[in-house]
Amino acid sequence: MKKVLLAVITLFLYFHSYAQHSDENGRIKQLQIYEDSLKDLGNKFINEEEELDRKNANYTFIKTLVSALKVPNSFLYPFDSLKSVTIINSPDNRFRIISWPVVNQDGSYRFYGTIQINTGGNLQMYPLNDDTFEIKHPEDTVADNLKWVGAEYYRIVPVYTPKLYYVLLGWKGNNINSTKKVIEVLSFKDNKPVLGMPVFDGNGKTRDRIVFEYTRQASMLLRYVPEQDLIVFDHLSPPDPKLKNQKDTYGPDLTYDGYKLKNGHWVYVDNLDMRNVPDNHDADYIDPKKQGAIDRAAVKKDE
């Protein structure tokens, strides 16, 4: 009798394991199919010449992405071949952010994205609605995911205070004349995202987030140095003091400033000695124009 019972249990465990393995294979195959569709749509919202075509491809991309994320355990699927968006996990693996821009006809950008929570199963996500043009004072605004100062994020830094929050470094684009980068803050209240927090102290003021603007012809360093709990960035200045009110003329002046973490706040420090800062680089963001040039070059090569 014991032998029969043992055989039944062994058989049950075998088929249960086989069924789980089969289900997992089915989920991965389903996600791979979605990934192929997303790659094609991503290429279109970057490369299509007409704005309407880019927007239509993007709307279909969003619907397809939501369907993909609804597949159980989709949080574990990396979408590695999807180069039209940036996907970045929080270091504690609590959530990941998927974000990307679409270029408007006038050279400005609208950003799209979502925060996907690691539930271990069913989908929990918070779509990010770019409300940049309605937010008059972005450095003094705390809002939810529906009033987002849109950006494409490339770094997440958890800050372990009594109220855990995350610093996000992002590329914001802007228009044909200038580019922006942003230091954002993400926290959760009642398990819902809150964007912005008064934790940046400097120049006699406390800010909820930091927004940099500079000429489109320049590039700007903005990165986190974990060894020093320091966010370091190029000091931006105009080429002539008479242009101090024209941010689209600003560029790096070969000096560096930063925000140093102290007691849960980020305190402004200027004239940093970069010789004491380890040499590493930000993760790449996806600039649609650069990605489009890469895609077109690849097509020509194939031809």
Side-chain angles (χ1 to χ4, degrees):
M1 187 66 181
K2 288 182 179 180
K3 289 182 179 179
V4 172
L5 183 59
L6 181 61
V8 170
I9 292 172
T10 301
L11 201 60
F12 171 78
L13 292 174
Y14 170 78
F15 281 113
H16 181 67
S17 175
Y18 177 81
Q20 283 186 319
H21 184 70
S22 178
D23 287 346
E24 183 63 19
N25 286 341
R27 282 193 292 269
I28 291 174
K29 186 174 182 179
Q30 190 177 6
L31 285 164
Q32 288 172 337
I33 293 171
Y34 277 126
E35 184 174 14
D36 287 340
S37 297
L38 291 168
K39 281 172 57 179
D40 181 58
L41 291 165
N43 287 334
K44 288 180 179 178
F45 72 62
I46 289 175
N47 292 310
E48 289 290 347
E49 293 293 331
E50 297 297 325
E51 180 178 34
L52 182 60
D53 292 335
R54 292 195 300 273
K55 288 184 175 181
N56 286 338
N58 185 56
Y59 293 146
T60 305
F61 179 95
I62 292 170
K63 292 179 182 179
T64 306
L65 178 63
V66 172
S67 296
L69 296 182
K70 285 181 178 178
V71 176
N73 296 318
S74 66
F75 186 90
L76 302 177
Y77 190 78
F79 295 97
D80 283 336
S81 67
L82 191 56
K83 304 303 182 183
S84 55
V85 304
T86 296
I87 304 174
I88 182 168
N89 285 48
S90 63
D92 58 10
N93 221 32
R94 179 182 181 184
F95 63 90
R96 67 178 177 179
I97 300 177
I98 305 171
S99 55
W100 69 95
V102 175
V103 183
N104 296 318
Q105 203 64 35
D106 63 1
S108 64
Y109 297 84
R110 181 176 177 84
F111 287 81
Y112 299 84
T114 189
I115 302 170
Q116 183 183 11
I117 307 299
N118 185 3
T119 64
N122 294 330
L123 176 62
Q124 182 182 356
M125 59 176 272
Y126 296 95
L128 294 165
N129 177 60
D130 188 352
D131 206 32
T132 296
F133 296 109
E134 300 300 322
I135 300 172
K136 303 304 180 184
H137 304 285
E139 294 193 330
D140 302 319
T141 299
V142 176
D144 60 18
N145 54 297
L146 299 180
K147 289 188 173 292
W148 175 44
V149 180
E152 184 175 16
Y153 299 119
Y154 55 84
R155 185 69 187 260
I156 300 176
V157 181
V159 181
Y160 297 100
T161 66
K163 179 178 174 57
L164 170 66
Y165 68 87
Y166 303 84
V167 168
L168 315 177
L169 303 184
W171 179 83
K172 186 165 175 49
N174 194 32
N175 56 40
I176 59 172
N177 297 315
S178 70
T179 300
K180 292 183 178 182
K181 283 192 174 183
V182 62
I183 309 176
E184 180 64 272
V185 178
L186 170 64
S187 60
F188 292 88
K189 183 177 181 180
D190 300 325
N191 292 321
K192 294 182 179 179
V194 178
L195 294 165
M197 183 183 289
V199 293
F200 299 102
D201 300 332
N203 299 317
K205 184 178 180 180
T206 298
R207 295 170 173 80
D208 295 312
R209 71 178 52 77
I210 305 297
V211 180
F212 304 93
E213 183 177 1
Y214 52 98
T215 177
R216 191 158 179 167
Q217 279 68 50
S219 59
M220 177 195 171
L221 172 75
L222 174 62
R223 62 181 172 89
Y224 173 63
V225 183
E227 297 86 353
Q228 299 184 24
D229 282 331
L230 177 70
I231 300 169
V232 64
F233 46 87
D234 280 304
H235 181 85
L236 302 172
S237 61
D240 188 305
K242 295 178 182 178
L243 300 173
K244 66 179 181 179
N245 294 323
Q246 294 179 230
K247 295 291 186 180
D248 60 4
T249 69
Y250 277 49
D253 64 6
L254 303 182
T255 64
Y256 302 91
D257 302 328
Y259 281 98
K260 178 80 172 176
L261 182 62
K262 294 182 180 179
N263 300 320
H265 275 229
W266 297 86
V267 180
Y268 179 78
V269 289
D270 59 6
N271 290 318
L272 290 170
D273 185 351
M274 287 297 287
R275 290 174 299 180
N276 296 325
V277 176
D279 183 19
N280 58 8
H281 302 280
D282 291 329
D284 292 332
Y285 62 84
I286 302 300
D287 182 332
K289 291 184 179 298
K290 290 182 180 179
Q291 185 62 46
I294 293 170
D295 292 340
R296 287 190 292 274
V299 169
K300 288 181 180 179
K301 186 177 180 180
D302 290 341
E303 290 175 349

mmCIF file of all heavy atoms in Angstrom, residues 64 85 89 101 127 216 249 268:
data_model
loop_
_atom_site.group_PDB
_atom_site.id
_atom_site.type_symbol
_atom_site.label_atom_id
_atom_site.label_comp_id
_atom_site.label_asym_id
_atom_site.label_seq_id
_atom_site.Cartn_x
_atom_site.Cartn_y
_atom_site.Cartn_z
ATOM 1 N N THR A 64 -0.008 47.186 -27.314
ATOM 2 C CA THR A 64 0.687 45.897 -27.381
ATOM 3 C C THR A 64 1.522 45.673 -26.126
ATOM 4 O O THR A 64 1.582 44.550 -25.592
ATOM 5 C CB THR A 64 1.589 45.844 -28.629
ATOM 6 O OG1 THR A 64 0.797 46.142 -29.792
ATOM 7 C CG2 THR A 64 2.214 44.467 -28.798
ATOM 8 N N VAL A 85 12.935 51.726 -26.358
ATOM 9 C CA VAL A 85 12.569 52.214 -25.036
ATOM 10 C C VAL A 85 13.696 51.883 -24.061
ATOM 11 O O VAL A 85 14.567 51.060 -24.352
ATOM 12 C CB VAL A 85 11.245 51.583 -24.532
ATOM 13 C CG1 VAL A 85 10.114 51.810 -25.518
ATOM 14 C CG2 VAL A 85 11.411 50.090 -24.260
ATOM 15 N N ASN A 89 15.316 48.552 -13.874
ATOM 16 C CA ASN A 89 14.792 48.027 -12.621
ATOM 17 C C ASN A 89 15.363 48.789 -11.437
ATOM 18 O O ASN A 89 16.526 49.191 -11.445
ATOM 19 C CB ASN A 89 15.150 46.540 -12.465
ATOM 20 C CG ASN A 89 14.313 45.645 -13.346
ATOM 21 O OD1 ASN A 89 14.154 45.893 -14.534
ATOM 22 N ND2 ASN A 89 13.769 44.584 -12.772
ATOM 23 N N PRO A 101 10.684 58.496 -25.540
ATOM 24 C CA PRO A 101 10.133 59.702 -26.161
ATOM 25 C C PRO A 101 9.656 59.435 -27.585
ATOM 26 O O PRO A 101 10.109 58.502 -28.242
ATOM 27 C CB PRO A 101 11.337 60.640 -26.181
ATOM 28 C CG PRO A 101 12.492 59.705 -26.402
ATOM 29 C CD PRO A 101 12.125 58.366 -25.793
ATOM 30 N N PRO A 127 0.540 53.841 -15.398
ATOM 31 C CA PRO A 127 0.948 54.565 -16.605
ATOM 32 C C PRO A 127 1.421 55.973 -16.246
ATOM 33 O O PRO A 127 0.894 56.610 -15.332
ATOM 34 C CB PRO A 127 -0.343 54.609 -17.431
ATOM 35 C CG PRO A 127 -1.201 53.520 -16.886
ATOM 36 C CD PRO A 127 -0.869 53.423 -15.441
ATOM 37 N N ARG A 216 21.215 72.611 -27.389
ATOM 38 C CA ARG A 216 21.131 71.285 -28.001
ATOM 39 C C ARG A 216 22.461 70.856 -28.630
ATOM 40 O O ARG A 216 22.687 69.676 -28.866
ATOM 41 C CB ARG A 216 20.023 71.277 -29.050
ATOM 42 C CG ARG A 216 19.669 69.881 -29.549
ATOM 43 C CD ARG A 216 18.293 69.874 -30.129
ATOM 44 N NE ARG A 216 17.935 68.560 -30.635
ATOM 45 C CZ ARG A 216 16.701 68.198 -30.974
ATOM 46 N NH1 ARG A 216 15.710 69.050 -30.830
ATOM 47 N NH2 ARG A 216 16.459 66.997 -31.444
ATOM 48 N N THR A 249 21.227 78.812 -24.618
ATOM 49 C CA THR A 249 22.621 79.119 -24.966
ATOM 50 C C THR A 249 23.606 78.509 -23.973
ATOM 51 O O THR A 249 24.819 78.536 -24.207
ATOM 52 C CB THR A 249 22.865 80.647 -24.996
ATOM 53 O OG1 THR A 249 22.790 81.178 -23.657
ATOM 54 C CG2 THR A 249 21.846 81.342 -25.881
ATOM 55 N N TYR A 268 23.363 70.914 -2.035
ATOM 56 C CA TYR A 268 24.125 71.423 -3.182
ATOM 57 C C TYR A 268 25.570 71.727 -2.797
ATOM 58 O O TYR A 268 25.838 72.348 -1.766
ATOM 59 C CB TYR A 268 23.457 72.688 -3.712
ATOM 60 C CG TYR A 268 24.166 73.327 -4.884
ATOM 61 C CD1 TYR A 268 24.035 72.799 -6.161
ATOM 62 C CD2 TYR A 268 24.961 74.461 -4.702
ATOM 63 C CE1 TYR A 268 24.685 73.378 -7.245
ATOM 64 C CE2 TYR A 268 25.607 75.052 -5.782
ATOM 65 C CZ TYR A 268 25.462 74.506 -7.047
ATOM 66 O OH TYR A 268 26.113 75.080 -8.109
#
